[in-house]
Amino acid sequence: MKQLYRFLLLLGFALVIGVKANAQRVSFVEPKEDTSLSVSPNRVKIVVHSNSDKMEMSHNMGEEKGVRTNNDDGSYSYTIDYNFPEDYDEDFMKSTFLVRLPGGQKEFMLILRKGKGFLGTFNENFTITAEKNNDGLFPESKAAKVTFLSDMKKLTIECNGKPCFVEGKAVPVDGCNMTAAVSNESGVMNAYSIAFSLDEEKKTPTFIKHPVFKIKSNFTNEIEVDLGGDLQYKKSYSYTVVSNIKVVEKEASFEDMLARAQAKEKESDFFAAANAYQDARSHIDCPVDRRSELESQLGRMNSARRFLHYAEKFERQGARVERKEGFTADSVFIYYRGAIRSYKKVLEYAPGATVYAQREEALETKLKDHPMNNKVTTVAVKYQEITGTHPNGGGIPIYASYTSDKPKTDSDDKPLGTTRGDGTFRLVFKTTPPPYLYFYGDKKSYAIDSTTTEINF
């Protein structure tokens, strides 16, 4: 595609970049479950095909981005391969995704299921035109040739209703006086050539003298090329098929992007707000003295959405255990306390998200009647001490963690403490401890609860 863009610029086509989705500029097919994708039992794979090498894909479950690979046909695949957390008991998860192209963006939701793959497409809409080149000689008597040059690798071309090329591959044209072939010129341009026999004595059932061609690709409109008359002996006709992007709107201003980010933050849509702050920060008109501020706001939104993910997960797991084992089960208390702690963290990063303050208060009120509430009160009075010796020695920061996996490296949480020079540590909690502790550099977190006194590595 980069070669295509350079070629268009040489021809004088202007490419204008915008950010808002427009039906005339981008086309989107929402990912659907696809059994042809190979997926491990505890993972889910989301693949989006695109005709652009500039697509970006992100999701609200973590910091993973779509990984781009090149396809044989010149298109691209963007893949997010997500691993469900080890302590996640449900077989499905509701997630929000964002795909972005220079011509627009699309946000969509999926119900992801373990061991499944999902496949969709998000393309720039291209229009194609055919430019006439200088004609030449064809060194065969009673014959002529028509060639279409293009760096598009999957053109479909018909001549007088008969397919000559289908998605870039030449097809036999039976009972007709033409033969199609594809070759590559200079490693960049494909030459779609059709040779015509004009020998009247060897006339075939379908004898074409005045050809009319129809040309298209998977991502473009269809155009018609009429040579304007009969083919002439020993003549070579040449056209170049090029593509440009149809632009119908102006690029959003820095002020527009910032206003969108602030509006999404006010709506507590942290995923959309984070992406909008990123757009504002990277805008060409963003004031230099505001970039640090916007970077900070972007970080707040990412942290808020991460802890909201944990809060909703813990609350959902607590409700599931409550349905199966009843409200008095110990796990109900542990999961709901995890949700409360996570909602508090959300409110640290997004104080205006009052809806989550209400969720926290509702869970606090509910847990007052739980049998474990008195046990935790006793622990809080006496304090809870957790000790151990880390095998990698001293100076290792220790963090609260809300996942059994390795937490994200961009976490802005402060460490609870560090290991001493000999690797020993001592942590004291005045309230219920987090569900996991993470020691910087390890590949996983370590599960703890209100009864833990020592961690064995």
Side-chain angles (χ1 to χ4, degrees), residues 189-352:
M189 304 292 283
N190 280 350
Y192 299 86
S193 299
I194 308 169
F196 293 84
S197 171
L198 303 179
D199 190 342
E200 294 283 351
E201 297 179 359
K202 299 179 180 178
K203 210 169 187 179
T204 57
T206 302
F207 191 82
I208 295 174
K209 291 186 67 176
H210 180 177
V212 177
F213 302 91
K214 291 184 178 180
I215 306 170
K216 64 179 180 179
S217 78
N218 290 337
F219 315 120
T220 68
N221 57 311
E222 182 180 83
I223 60 172
E224 185 173 287
V225 176
D226 188 339
L227 271 59
D230 291 345
L231 293 165
Q232 299 179 27
Y233 291 164
K234 294 187 177 183
K235 189 169 182 179
S236 177
Y237 305 80
S238 178
Y239 293 81
T240 299
V241 180
V242 297
S243 170
N244 69 331
I245 300 176
K246 184 177 180 181
V247 179
V248 294
E249 61 177 312
K250 295 181 180 179
E251 182 179 355
S253 67
F254 167 75
E255 290 75 16
D256 290 339
M257 291 181 177
L258 182 58
R260 169 178 167 78
Q262 293 167 338
K264 290 300 180 181
E265 179 178 356
K266 189 174 182 180
E267 296 170 8
S268 299
D269 188 346
F270 306 127
F271 180 62
N275 283 293
Y277 277 125
Q278 177 62 39
D279 286 339
R281 186 190 178 284
S282 58
H283 195 281
I284 191 172
D285 294 329
C286 175
V288 175
D289 59 356
R290 298 203 63 181
R291 289 178 182 172
S292 296
E293 169 201 344
L294 293 175
E295 185 69 28
S296 175
Q297 289 172 311
L298 169 63
R300 287 195 304 104
M301 293 300 99
N302 279 329
S303 296
R305 73 184 181 94
R306 183 170 67 252
F307 282 106
L308 178 59
H309 170 70
Y310 293 142
E312 292 178 337
K313 181 181 73 171
F314 286 138
E315 186 170 3
R316 185 169 58 248
Q317 289 174 323
R320 179 183 56 79
V321 175
E322 183 178 355
R323 289 192 301 270
K324 290 183 177 180
E325 302 178 23
F327 175 69
T328 58
D330 289 356
S331 296
V332 171
F333 185 85
I334 293 170
Y335 281 132
Y336 283 158
R337 288 303 304 176
I340 289 170
R341 286 192 300 273
S342 297
Y343 280 130
K344 287 181 182 294
K345 295 294 290 185
V346 171
L347 293 168
E348 286 182 22
Y349 296 110

Side-chain angles (χ1 to χ4, degrees), residues 2 13 77 108 143 158 193 216 224 299 354 408 422 425:
K2 292 180 181 177
F13 287 90
S77 294
F108 60 96
E158 292 183 358
S193 299
K216 64 179 180 179
E224 185 173 287
T354 55
K408 302 301 179 185
D422 59 356
F425 63 89

Side-chain angles (χ1 to χ4, degrees), residues 164-199:
C164 303
F165 304 91
V166 176
E167 295 190 355
K169 295 181 179 180
V171 297
V173 187
D174 297 329
C176 197
N177 64 322
M178 58 183 177
T179 303
V182 181
S183 61
N184 189 264
E185 305 216 349
S186 303
V188 177
M189 304 292 283
N190 280 350
Y192 299 86
S193 299
I194 308 169
F196 293 84
S197 171
L198 303 179
D199 190 342

Side-chain angles (χ1 to χ4, degrees), residues 327-330 333 367-376:
F327 175 69
T328 58
D330 289 356
F333 185 85
L367 288 186
K368 286 181 179 179
D369 297 327
H370 195 282
M372 279 192 71
N373 195 44
N374 293 330
K375 297 179 184 178
V376 173

